[in-house]
Amino acid sequence: MNTQTFRGVQALRGIAALSVMLFHFRWNINAQIPGRGDALFGWGATGVDLFFLISGFVITLSAAKAPQGISGALNFLKKRALRILPAYYIILVISFFLSGAMSTFHYADKTENFISALTFIPILPDHAPFYVDDGGMFGVRWTLNYEVMFYLFISVALLFAKRWVWAGVLFAATLVVLPLTLGYQLTLQPAGYKVDSALLGLITNPMTWLFLTGMLIGLALPYLRWLSSSVMAVAAVCSLIAAAYFFSHGMYAGHGLLSSGWVYGLILLTFALSDDVIGKYVPNFLIRLGDISFSLYLIHTLMNNGLGKRFESFGIEDGCVRFVVSIALSCLLAWLSWRYIERPFIRAGKIKTVSKEKNAAASSPASHK
């Protein structure tokens, strides 16, 4: 099961990518109307929190069907790798060449940053919750460090029969036991803990609670089906209105479970429980936006740097026109990336999985009776 089963959740994924893009493009509006871009889209960075919640939700539904053991864990990791790595590395290479290519290696910090991007290794312990340089070409990758860590933890849990118990043990060890052992007072703030290791900062950072909240929503879903879909649809609409009010007034417009996290968590819960109703009214363009959301998230920063540096030569000045052009071009390139990179690899992974399952069934003792 994935977000495409839940049309409302798939639309939320698209909205999350859109909000992050608008946040990064808001300076164009500021250049023409000072402060207006910040007022309209200053909250947009919180789309990352919604991404984390949805990821926890979806991975829980997916991992629930994965077989126990090493093969199940490896198959889970392979599926996730095919989902994110091809598009990520191709766009990373494109960004590399558009940002100066070999000149990168003339600077130690840029070289370290590029290697960090290639290996998903955090490098800046004093820059929480990012732990990498979150500006420039490779800036948005900081969220993938959390994603990869989350996938690795879930794959370990799949080795055991009681996978969710073990997942709880693993995350409790890093988010509760480890900070207490190091002498810190527990916090839910994204600033995390002042540690000397960027990797230690990453695995103990409270941003991970967003994934766990999404997991809890996924695990609780079967037990909450008795709730009326119509009532939950009303609650979903109310939660969106509340979010719009909060964010437009500068409330809960930061990262973390105590800020935008709980707002988005409520939205995700009510949308998932009301999909029978809301799903019928979700426009197809939002579903498509959800399809291309990962590529859109990765590729839109090119409009501010690599490709964006060339806009002036085409007569596109900084301002609202560049804002609109950046959005349109980002969506076009994201669709191409989804169509010709993401989707083929995802389909290839599904075909291989089905083939292995058929072969395993054919070779089982029961099939020869």
Side-chain angles (χ1 to χ4, degrees):
M1 186 179 296
N2 52 49
T3 50
Q4 293 191 11
T5 306
F6 294 86
R7 287 177 60 86
V9 176
Q10 181 72 349
L12 289 177
R13 176 180 273 174
I15 292 171
L18 181 65
S19 68
V20 174
M21 178 177 66
L22 294 175
F23 172 79
H24 287 141
F25 291 167
R26 75 193 189 285
W27 68 270
N28 288 285
I29 299 177
N30 288 336
Q32 193 164 339
I33 311 173
R36 183 62 58 84
D38 293 332
L40 290 173
F41 305 117
W43 58 273
T46 64
V48 166
D49 297 57
L50 181 53
F51 265 131
F52 284 1
L53 284 159
I54 293 174
S55 182
F57 175 78
V58 174
I59 292 304
T60 300
L61 300 182
S62 176
K65 300 182 297 182
Q68 178 198 343
I70 294 177
S71 62
L74 291 177
N75 188 54
F76 170 80
L77 287 176
K78 184 177 71 175
K79 283 184 177 180
R80 302 321 301 166
L82 288 172
R83 177 68 181 86
I84 68 172
L85 294 186
Y88 173 73
Y89 279 122
I90 290 173
I91 293 173
L92 179 65
V93 169
I94 293 172
S95 300
F96 171 72
F97 283 107
L98 288 175
S99 62
M102 301 310 294
S103 65
T104 297
F105 301 113
H106 295 163
Y107 305 91
D109 59 333
K110 290 185 177 181
T111 300
E112 183 182 33
N113 191 43
F114 182 59
I115 294 173
S116 168
L118 288 172
T119 58
F120 297 99
I121 295 176
I123 54 176
L124 301 177
D126 296 326
H127 192 42
F130 313 105
Y131 304 110
V132 296
D133 179 6
D134 60 310
M137 282 293 189
F138 317 132
V140 296
R141 81 176 191 281
W142 70 272
T143 62
L144 293 184
N145 291 339
Y146 285 94
E147 288 273 356
V148 170
M149 178 190 69
F150 179 63
Y151 297 159
L152 290 174
F153 274 54
I154 294 299
S155 68
V156 172
L158 290 176
L159 297 173
F160 305 96
K162 297 183 178 180
R163 60 193 59 182
W164 303 125
V165 173
W166 279 98
V169 169
L170 291 171
F171 285 113
T174 56
L175 296 176
V176 178
V177 176
L178 188 53
L180 290 175
T181 302
L182 294 173
Y184 295 100
Q185 183 176 355
L186 293 180
T187 180
L188 289 177
Q189 297 299 328
Y193 306 97
K194 299 294 183 181
V195 293
D196 296 329
S197 165
L199 182 59
L200 182 60
L202 179 74
I203 65 174
T204 59
N205 193 280
M207 287 290 286
T208 304
W209 285 106
L210 293 165
F211 289 99
L212 301 186
T213 301
M215 284 182 62
L216 289 175
I217 292 173
L219 291 173
L221 200 62
Y223 303 99
L224 297 176
R225 287 298 189 186
W226 59 270
L227 293 170
S228 168
S229 295
S230 298
V231 173
M232 288 297 100
V234 173
V237 173
C238 290
S239 66
L240 285 179
I241 294 173
Y245 176 83
F246 290 150
F247 294 158
S248 65
H249 288 74
M251 302 166 62
Y252 308 113
H255 292 306
L257 198 58
L258 296 180
S259 193
S260 65
W262 74 266
V263 179
Y264 285 132
L266 183 61
I267 291 173
L268 176 60
L269 175 64
T270 53
F271 264 67
L273 288 172
S274 64
D275 198 73
D276 290 345
V277 175
I278 283 185
K280 301 174 183 177
Y281 301 98
V282 174
N284 287 331
F285 82 88
L286 281 181
I287 301 299
R288 184 63 66 218
L289 187 63
D291 289 339
I292 69 172
S293 59
F294 180 61
S295 286
L296 184 63
Y297 179 74
L298 293 176
I299 215 165
H300 77 273
T301 54
L302 290 173
M303 302 306 120
N304 284 342
N305 296 285
L307 292 176
K309 292 178 180 178
R310 295 157 173 81
F311 281 175
E312 191 173 352
S313 61
F314 292 97
I316 302 174
E317 302 289 341
D318 296 349
C320 293
V321 173
R322 177 169 173 174
F323 177 79
V324 173
V325 171
S326 296
I327 292 174
L329 189 55
S330 295
C331 290
L332 173 61
L333 292 177
W335 180 83
L336 291 172
S337 174
W338 171 78
R339 176 67 177 79
Y340 296 106
I341 302 174
E342 285 190 70
R343 192 166 69 168
F345 277 98
I346 293 172
R347 286 181 171 177
K350 288 181 178 178
I351 291 173
K352 289 181 180 179
T353 299
V354 171
S355 177
K356 285 185 177 181
E357 289 176 351
K358 288 182 177 179
N359 290 337
S363 60
S364 67
S367 64
H368 299 291
K369 290 182 179 179

